[in-house]
Structures are given as structure tokens and as C-alpha cells.
Amino acid sequence: MSEANPTPAGASDTERLARAALSRVLEPGEPKTGVLLRTSGGASPLLERLRAGKEPPKGFTRARWEGLTARALRADPEQDLVRAAAVGGRFVCPGDLEWPSQLDDLQDIRPFGLWVRGPADLRMWSLRAVAVVGARACTDYGTYMAGALSVGLAERGWVVVSGGAFGIDGAAHRGALGVAGGTVAVLACGIDRCYPPGHARLLARIAEQGLLIGELPPGEHPTPSRFVTRNRVIAALTRGTVVVEAALRSGALVTARAAGRLGRHVMGVPGPATSGLSAGVHELLRGQGHLVTDAAEIVELVGEIGELAPERRGPLVPRDLLSPEAADVLAAMPARGLVSAESVALAAVTAKDDAIARLYELQALGFVERDGDGWQLTRRTRTTASPGHERGGRV
């Protein structure tokens, strides 16, 4: 079977060790290394080629290839697996039952494997997962929305995926944890490292209740480029990506665009038009993004057929329950003063007898009252009538 379509029986021990080694040798998300893995016939042949120090393949300079060879000779995947196990981690790779097959959509930039820490099954959780991402330096509004969306998603049985960073990411994780929901943090470092350090307690909670995952082996530290490349994993792992707050240059937008390229749903939460932290979201919404404001609207997009968000409408008022004929007569009444039944009929474009019948109906419902031969709106109706209600003539 081809590299892009691994067998479901499980990766061999040799292949697993080779992929674990490559996760330390090769930087994640580089298309040319993915092509090299595919054309080499698997991870084991590629690792042997690297350790043999042969001539560099097309697309690699000699200096680059020698650097990779040196890293391959020092790689110790058995020790990395021991270090992962010490913190309750494991290595999941293509072919394993726990491998999320949607990651195969990344093709040549698919991870060599994922280091996973936590009790849940990654494949099962990924079947109902939504990414909630956004700015690190977010506003109180962004924090509230990220938390509220995540609470709503978790209560509906959806797993919240984010990057474990400050700001929107942290609020999203906390929202899911707060209602005992599932959440996954995709890290740009080893699963035994707490980054950012200020989220040590949060990441520990996620490791106990959810999952910490990453492409890098234990002990590896984050770099700016690794934050960017891990975003493709967030996008591919989930059914859709929600951006809560993001400036025009934002890693969250990188995730959203990656989701769009993969055919996933792209969603954004609107903010103030004057906010720079909402400018990126608004630009996304002007393009391929869908506007969402709560969890129900998110599930309507990413969920099964029939999982519709409730229809939004203003509060129901008593006049909404009137028949069209009675509503026309009520609209023909002047805002103040008495009016004859003939004037009401003329304004409502109906017969006098019909207008009188509707007026008595409205009187019974408390909308109008009779004074001699004239009719007028009750005090309650006048105070709740919309501005400009001046139809009809006065006696």
C-alpha cells in the first residue's frame, strides 16, 4: 500500500522507531522532506539513507544533507519513547488504530507521527472536533466569546482543539475543561515541556482530562516557525476552525486558511469594526468565512444533517398574534384621539361592518376602547406602539 494510504493493521516496530527518529531529525511541515519520505519507500529506508551519509538527493544542498545526517546518527528513538512514557505519553503514527486518518489530507506535509499525552483516544476524539483559535493579546470580549463557544461545544459533545497559548487558546481550553468536556492542545514543542510556562497548570489539567499532542519529540523547544507549521495540524485534525479575534497578521488566520485549503469549514466571530484585533476576522468573513456567534451556529455547519441552530427573532409581543385583518385595523388607528369606525374602515381599506367587527375584537383583547361613537387606542397600546403610528383620521 502507498505511503499516503497506510494499512490499518498497525505500524511495524521498525517503522514506528524510524518515524520516531525522523521526528527528531527532520523539521515538520517541509514539503520536500515529505516528498523524500514518499519516494524513499517508507521511514526505515529514508533513515538508513540518512545514516549512511550518501549523496544528497535533489533539492537538498550538501551542507543541509550533512546536517541531517549528523542528526540522524545521534537520534535515539528508543530513549525518546522512554521519555514520553515517563510522562504518560506515546507515539502514534500512520497505520495505528489511533491515527486520525483526516491528517492524511495533508499529503506530503503530513506529520511523520504524533507524540500524544493523555488518556483519550485521539482518533475517536478527532471525529467530533472543532478548532477555536485567536489572538494571544485578546480583549475581555474575545476571552468571553472563546470560553462561551467552547462551553457550548463541549456540552454538545464536541472536542475543542487549540494551541495552548495565552489569550483565546487558553480561554477555549478552560471553557471545555470547566464543563468536564474534551479538549486537545496541539503543541509546538515536546509533550514533556510546558510552554508557555505560565500555562503549566492548564497544560497539566489538559494532560489529565484531555490530550496534549505534538510532532516534536520529548525535550524539543518551540520556535516561531514551529508555531506556524503546527497550525496545519490543528486545521486538518478538526471539522472546522473558528477564529475569535485576530489582527490582519495572525497565526490564527494561518490556521483558518489552512482549513479552507483542506475543505474544512472556516468560521469567524465578529467584533467591533474599530478593533484592530477583529480586523483579521472581518477580512476572513468578507471572503470564505462563515459568521458565527454561538455554539449552535458552529454545530449547524460542522455537525450532521438536521443539527440546525434555532431561528433567531425578536421577542414575541401580543400584536404578533393578531390576524392580518385585525392587525390592519389596529394599524389604521391614530396614535391619539378618537376616530370613527368609518374613518378606520377607509384607512384599513375594508368595509365598515368588517372594521366594526375587528374593533370589537381588539377591544376584547385590550388594544382599543370605545368612547361614545368613537374609538381610540388604550393607554397600554399607546405606550407600546411603534414610533410614527399616526395612521387613520381623527373625528
Side-chain angles (χ1 to χ4, degrees), residues 7 75 85 97 115 131 155 194 204 245 248 266 277 284-286 302 306 311-312 316 322 329-330 348 372 381 383:
T7 70
L97 292 177
W115 298 89
E155 289 178 337
C194 291
E245 279 187 324
L248 291 172
V266 178
L277 283 174
L284 192 70
L285 293 175
R286 282 168 51 85
V302 303
E311 181 182 356
R312 296 185 182 276
L316 191 69
L322 296 175
V329 170
L330 181 61
T381 306
T383 58

Side-chain angles (χ1 to χ4, degrees), residues 25-27 30-37 39-40 46 49-50 54-69 112:
V25 174
L26 302 173
E27 283 295 314
E30 292 187 357
K32 62 182 180 181
T33 58
V35 172
L36 185 60
L37 174 62
T39 56
S40 296
L46 175 56
R49 182 177 181 178
L50 281 163
K54 296 180 178 180
E55 288 295 311
K58 184 178 179 180
F60 290 82
T61 64
R62 182 173 295 278
R64 173 67 170 162
W65 189 251
E66 289 178 354
L68 294 176
T69 296
F112 306 120

Side-chain angles (χ1 to χ4, degrees), residues 140-173:
D140 291 341
Y141 163 77
T143 301
Y144 170 79
M145 288 303 300
L149 292 176
S150 299
V151 166
L153 287 168
E155 289 178 337
R156 288 167 171 81
W158 287 81
V159 174
V160 176
V161 179
S162 200
F166 289 130
I168 298 300
D169 289 13
H173 292 307

Side-chain angles (χ1 to χ4, degrees), residues 39 55 102 126 138 170-171 191 216 230-231 243 246 260 272 309 317 335 357 375 393:
T39 56
E55 288 295 311
Q102 58 265 50
S126 300
C138 62
I191 57 172
L216 297 162
R230 69 89 189 264
N231 289 340
V243 183
V317 298
W375 297 85

Side-chain angles (χ1 to χ4, degrees), residues 91-133:
F91 185 69
V92 178
C93 62
D96 289 340
L97 292 177
E98 195 179 354
W99 178 256
S101 58
Q102 58 265 50
L103 290 178
D104 298 338
D105 293 344
L106 292 169
Q107 299 181 1
D108 287 333
I109 58 172
R110 181 183 66 172
F112 306 120
L114 289 174
W115 298 89
V116 181
R117 179 182 173 188
D121 185 285
L122 178 59
R123 178 182 174 85
M124 295 303 297
W125 270 25
S126 300
L127 296 176
R128 285 176 63 86
V130 176
V132 179
V133 297

Side-chain angles (χ1 to χ4, degrees), residues 52-360:
K54 296 180 178 180
E55 288 295 311
K58 184 178 179 180
F60 290 82
T61 64
R62 182 173 295 278
R64 173 67 170 162
W65 189 251
E66 289 178 354
L68 294 176
T69 296
R71 294 177 73 169
L73 291 171
R74 290 196 299 268
D76 186 351
E78 292 92 344
Q79 183 60 32
D80 284 336
L81 290 170
V82 170
R83 292 179 64 180
V87 294
R90 58 196 179 274
F91 185 69
V92 178
C93 62
D96 289 340
L97 292 177
E98 195 179 354
W99 178 256
S101 58
Q102 58 265 50
L103 290 178
D104 298 338
D105 293 344
L106 292 169
Q107 299 181 1
D108 287 333
I109 58 172
R110 181 183 66 172
F112 306 120
L114 289 174
W115 298 89
V116 181
R117 179 182 173 188
D121 185 285
L122 178 59
R123 178 182 174 85
M124 295 303 297
W125 270 25
S126 300
L127 296 176
R128 285 176 63 86
V130 176
V132 179
V133 297
R136 287 175 172 81
C138 62
T139 65
D140 291 341
Y141 163 77
T143 301
Y144 170 79
M145 288 303 300
L149 292 176
S150 299
V151 166
L153 287 168
E155 289 178 337
R156 288 167 171 81
W158 287 81
V159 174
V160 176
V161 179
S162 200
F166 289 130
I168 298 300
D169 289 13
H173 292 307
R174 290 188 182 94
L177 291 170
V179 291
T183 188
V184 177
V186 183
L187 307 179
C189 58
I191 57 172
D192 59 339
R193 294 180 65 95
C194 291
Y195 189 89
H199 270 178
R201 292 182 62 183
L202 174 62
L203 295 174
R205 284 187 63 198
I206 295 173
E208 293 175 359
Q209 187 173 322
L211 288 173
L212 298 177
I213 69 172
E215 299 177 76
L216 297 162
E220 283 294 298
H221 62 276
T223 64
S225 63
R226 288 172 172 177
F227 282 113
V228 174
T229 56
R230 69 89 189 264
N231 289 340
R232 80 196 194 288
V233 177
I234 296 176
L237 199 62
T238 55
R239 290 199 188 182
T241 294
V242 183
V243 183
V244 177
E245 279 187 324
L248 291 172
R249 283 185 56 123
S250 169
L253 296 183
V254 173
T255 307
R257 293 179 185 123
R261 289 192 296 270
L262 291 168
R264 311 296 198 258
H265 293 284
V266 178
M267 296 158 278
V269 177
T274 54
S275 172
L277 283 174
S278 292
V281 180
H282 295 163
E283 192 63 25
L284 192 70
L285 293 175
R286 282 168 51 85
Q288 65 183 130
H290 296 274
L291 188 151
V292 293
T293 60
D294 62 19
E297 292 175 350
I298 296 171
V299 173
E300 181 176 302
L301 287 171
V302 303
E304 304 300 329
I305 295 175
E307 292 188 82
L308 302 178
E311 181 182 356
R312 296 185 182 276
R313 55 176 299 167
L316 191 69
V317 298
R319 66 179 61 225
D320 293 333
L321 303 177
L322 296 175
S323 66
E325 296 79 11
D328 286 343
V329 170
L330 181 61
M333 294 290 295
R336 298 215 186 305
L338 293 170
V339 63
S340 66
E342 292 87 350
S343 296
V344 172
L346 184 64
V349 194
T350 188
K352 177 182 176 182
D353 289 345
D354 185 64
I356 292 174
R358 300 304 173 192
L359 285 168
Y360 277 111

